[in-house]
Amino acid sequence: MTTELPLRDLTIGGLLRRTALQYPENIAMMSGEETWTYSRFDQCADLAARKLLTAGIKPGDHVGLWTDTEPEEVVLYYALARIGAITCFINTCISPSDLGKIIKRSDIEHMLVGWGYQETNFPRIVRKL
C-alpha cells in the first residue's frame, strides 16, 4: 500500500504561486512597518527570477546568497528556486577565508550579496576573492 503525498509534485516556486492564487491578500511576511501579501511576494519573485535569468543565472547553477535576513533575501530564494538554480545560503558571520572555502566546496558560480552585516562589508570581501 502506498500513501499519496499531496506535495510530491509541487515545487517551492509552485507552492508560492498556488498560495498567492488562493490567498492573494493574506500576509506572507512582515518586516518592520512593511507588509508583503502573497500576491506581492509572488510578483516580486517572478520579477527577480526574470532579472536573474537575464543576468545569466541558469537552472542548475549554484548561487551563493550572502545577505541579511530581509524580505528581499526571501524573494531572491524563491526566485532562484523558481528558475531551478541551487541556493547556497552563506552565514553572515563567516570569515573571509572560510567564505573562499565554501565557494569552492559548493561549486558556487554566482554570488548575490547584501551590503553587509555589522562591521563586515560583503561586496568588498567578494571582490577580493
Side-chain angles (χ1 to χ4, degrees):
M1 180 174 131
T2 60
T3 303
E4 191 73 26
L5 297 175
L7 301 179
R8 186 183 76 210
D9 296 322
L10 191 60
T11 65
I12 290 171
L15 180 60
L16 173 59
R17 173 71 36 84
R18 184 174 85 178
T19 304
L21 290 172
Q22 288 178 334
Y23 309 103
E25 298 309 312
N26 282 16
I27 296 172
M29 61 183 156
M30 296 170 53
S31 177
E33 299 291 317
E34 194 173 16
T35 300
W36 293 60
T37 63
Y38 279 104
S39 177
R40 177 182 175 204
F41 185 16
D42 185 55
Q43 290 170 0
C44 288
D46 268 350
L47 177 62
R50 285 193 297 276
K51 288 184 178 195
L52 293 169
L53 285 166
T54 300
I57 296 175
K58 303 176 295 306
D61 283 356
H62 292 207
V63 180
L65 188 56
W66 195 26
T67 65
D68 269 352
T69 306
E70 297 291 334
E72 293 79 11
E73 177 186 40
V74 179
V75 168
L76 283 172
Y77 169 70
Y78 276 87
L80 289 165
R82 193 160 275 175
I83 65 175
I86 299 161
T87 304
C88 304
F89 289 99
I90 299 172
N91 187 314
T92 54
C93 297
I94 197 163
S95 71
S97 63
D98 286 342
L99 175 62
K101 293 173 191 171
I102 287 174
I103 289 171
K104 287 179 183 173
R105 286 185 190 148
S106 302
D107 295 324
I108 291 175
E109 302 159 88
H110 309 275
M111 285 288 294
L112 301 175
V113 299
W115 293 112
Y117 180 72
Q118 296 177 351
E119 304 298 317
T120 307
N121 182 312
F122 294 167
R124 184 171 32 107
I125 292 169
V126 170
R127 278 192 294 272
K128 284 182 181 179
L129 291 174

